[in-house]
Amino acid sequence: PHDLFSKALRKYAHSAAIADLDALERGGKSWERFLEAFGTTCRDYLPTFVQQSYDVEKTYVNVDKACPLVKALVASCGMQVLESLTDYVYNLIVSRLRIYGRPIISKRDMMAEHEMRLEADRLQRQQYQQQNMFISRNTSASIRKEVSLHTTATDWSSMTQLFVKDLKLYDSYESMYIEGKLLIEPFTPMVGTTTILEDSHGDVILVALYNFLPEGLYGEESVPIASTKIPKGATVRIAAPFMKVFRDGSRGLRIDNPNEISVISSGKANGGSERKLLLEAKNAGNQLVKTQKYLSAIEAYIGGIRAAEVVPTILSNRSQAYAKLGDWGKSLADAAASLTIRPANKKTWDRYHIARKKLLEGGEHNGNESIWIINRLLPFEVDAQASDADIKGRDLLGLKSDGNTAFQAAKYAEAAKLYTSALVSFGETERALLSNWALCCLHSQAHLDAVAVAAASLRICPESKAVVRLALAIFSLGQAEMCVNILEQSDKALFEGSPATKQRDELLNDAKATMKLFQSENKHVSSRELGEHKYLPRWIGNIETFDAGSKGRGVRAAKDLEAGELVLLEHPLASASRESPKKAKESLFTINKMRFEDASHSFLCQAIVLRSQRETVLSNIVDCLFDGTNTRPLTCLDDLMPNLSLSPPFLPTHQDYHPGAKKVEFNSDRIGAIVSTNSHGNRFDLGSNFDVTKGSDASLYPGVSMFNHSASPNCVLGGGSSDCAKVIIKANVKAGEELTICYHPDEDVVRRNWLDK
């Protein structure tokens, strides 16, 4: 009811908000968005203040039903709102609305308010801890900048600059940007990460960023990651700034897409020695791993490993020494390890490309270059070290210098030994940091990155956990035989007394079993033969995608299939979970228009938004998925599921390693639409009712999402002890027949959530 909320705004809101509303075209998009935001604020206040009223004596004085605010709330929420709208609640709402849309305050006052927010947040957390209270976090995503689901890279050169004084509430500035310096360390009280920006005219404005930190990170836990991304003192640019009124009545910029903010300069001096920065990052990441916040830990590890200079230099130098010796395999592996730590070194890139070219000369790789190279090099041979007498009394830099001297004297084997001794003796922090990064990649389903990072760790120094993590990543990508070779041929001494021995044995048994099962392309594999395994590979049976006409894309049988036959094993491309509040003592909800999204959905969207900014393989696969509006071209199943052929050997899938690749940029709206259309939850228990006291998860399986729905499907979708989705044939199917699954047992739910799209 725009007209009713317009009258309420004019009666109760701050005069500055009224002036901004009058400046907009009546009935225009910005005008409507302004009033929708005001109405949302009024509705959001209602349950908050009703909750507060439980602690005071209720007077139940009838409110004036002719009041424009009351009329607007009744029109928006129904007559039942009058039951809760006591004079106490009404007066609280009106008092809060008096400052709605207040002008932007001075720098001094804004900094003082920030200090008050920090103190209030500290006291609130202290109260929660002392009283063992349950924390319910929520954010309204209803009023945001309108965006197109078609996304393009931000072209800063084509934009013009504007300043804080030029901004109007809820107006659109699509071809403009605002630039300024950040005055505070980023602060994440509940959901949005906030900071304060000062432009070149000295004007300041509050900035709130969403989809900025993974896994709902907030409070003290968020500080190391957020400060690494947008530190105090950094100069940033914000594309197409959108100014709105926040819940407390203040004006500020809301950013929902991380690609719309760019750090021009960090403004941060070196915070200490290289060794200190590495240890701080390792410790911060390890703490996050303990709370199972793996994407956040990856952010910490990457931020720390980028500070390393000496170890990647030694790896690059050893790569060149091996090149001089004609050992192109080790040369490539060392160059890749160096680039994984320090991606922007041209000399190392040259060494990587030369080694790769030399390896491929005369090789029968049949177009699968990455798989052929990785299979040829793994497991890595143990590198020879210098004698104890040669390294006695030398530190990391001393050994590096001695290696350089030997190299200049054309003593390449001696140089390689000295470099190896330097890495083994003094590269433990970098090795552990990389190995832990690989562990987090496995938990985050970033298997290609896990291969690169675990391999880099092993090039510094062999270690049992990194061997198992590398083998598991390789196996998850569908290479069972390669996994077996790695585990059986690696140095047995590494596993003597190691806690990784049990996991190695379990993985080896599962890899051997599945390798035997899937070794024949023409064999029908039954789900009974597969049995229950802790570890499973990606696998595609005798099925293929096809154009299903009005239903869009679908999956059909490429050959005759038998009942009980397994046709697909797929790990999630991305997943997120919400633990039971009984365990976590908190929950998170996102209010999006008239729909509630629980934490698992919100976290999955955040994970994909953040990972798509960095990972090319993930972003390319997600770009192939239907968002409920825009049709996508037919894509084969093999290109929808990560595999070793999709990335250069031993390099992460990050944009830094694919400079020539097409960059796909997503906004949060499109990601949300893709997740809503394609994701699965609750471990495939699709018919369960949502219960806030139970944990839930959400996962994105691009291959499974190609199967169309049927109330009488000929396939069944299942899970098991692994996170792999299994698609199994229910009844005999002829070649060419479409394969279907049941999205949900309630057809009304299916039509509302999928078919009507």
Side-chain angles (χ1 to χ4, degrees), residues 49 76 255 582:
F49 294 144
S76 178
I255 303 173
K582 291 180 180 178

Side-chain angles (χ1 to χ4, degrees), residues 177-192:
Y177 71 88
I178 191 168
E179 182 176 312
K181 181 180 179 181
L182 302 183
L183 301 180
I184 62 172
E185 292 292 355
F187 168 57
T188 311
M190 282 294 178
V191 180

Side-chain angles (χ1 to χ4, degrees), residues 385-455:
Q385 298 184 49
S387 66
D388 292 341
D390 289 337
I391 64 174
K392 187 176 181 180
R394 290 175 172 81
D395 60 9
L396 178 66
L397 293 176
L399 286 169
K400 175 194 168 200
S401 177
D402 289 347
N404 292 347
T405 300
F407 184 92
Q408 290 165 3
K411 298 177 180 179
Y412 304 121
E414 182 182 341
K417 289 180 181 180
L418 288 165
Y419 291 143
T420 299
S421 297
L423 293 170
V424 171
S425 301
F426 301 102
E428 171 58 24
T429 302
E430 290 87 343
R431 183 211 61 75
L433 199 152
L434 287 165
S435 182
N436 292 349
W437 177 5
L439 172 67
C440 293
C441 287
L442 289 171
H443 281 290
S444 305
Q445 291 80 43
H447 297 115
L448 285 168
D449 287 352
V451 170
V453 178

Side-chain angles (χ1 to χ4, degrees), residues 498-515:
S498 169
T501 303
K502 180 181 178 182
Q503 186 181 15
R504 178 202 62 181
D505 294 342
E506 292 175 343
L507 177 57
L508 185 59
N509 289 335
D510 286 353
K512 285 182 175 180
T514 52
M515 181 177 71

Side-chain angles (χ1 to χ4, degrees), residues 286-355:
N286 291 353
Q287 285 299 118
L288 289 163
V289 168
K290 290 178 181 178
T291 58
Q292 299 182 8
K293 291 190 167 61
Y294 301 111
L295 288 176
S296 303
I298 288 174
E299 295 283 345
Y301 292 140
I302 291 177
I305 202 68
R306 293 292 184 259
E309 286 292 338
V310 180
V311 165
T313 298
I314 293 174
L315 284 165
S316 183
N317 290 355
R318 191 173 68 173
S319 169
Q320 184 66 356
Y322 281 134
K324 291 292 186 180
L325 293 169
D327 192 337
W328 299 111
K330 287 185 176 181
S331 178
L332 181 138
D334 278 350
S338 177
L339 291 170
T340 297
I341 300 171
R342 186 181 58 186
N345 189 279
K346 184 182 182 303
K347 187 184 292 185
T348 308
W349 272 110
D350 290 341
R351 291 167 182 171
Y352 177 85
H353 289 310
I354 291 171

Side-chain angles (χ1 to χ4, degrees), residues 30-31 39 61 78 147 152 187 209 256 264 315 330 370 376 390 467 534 551 557 560 603 607 653 716 721:
S30 295
W31 183 86
V61 174
V147 294
T152 55
F187 168 57
L209 300 100
D256 284 276
I264 305 302
L315 284 165
K330 287 185 176 181
S370 292
R376 178 174 172 178
D390 289 337
V467 170
K534 184 176 181 179
K551 293 191 291 185
D560 290 349
F603 290 169
T653 64
V716 62
S721 58

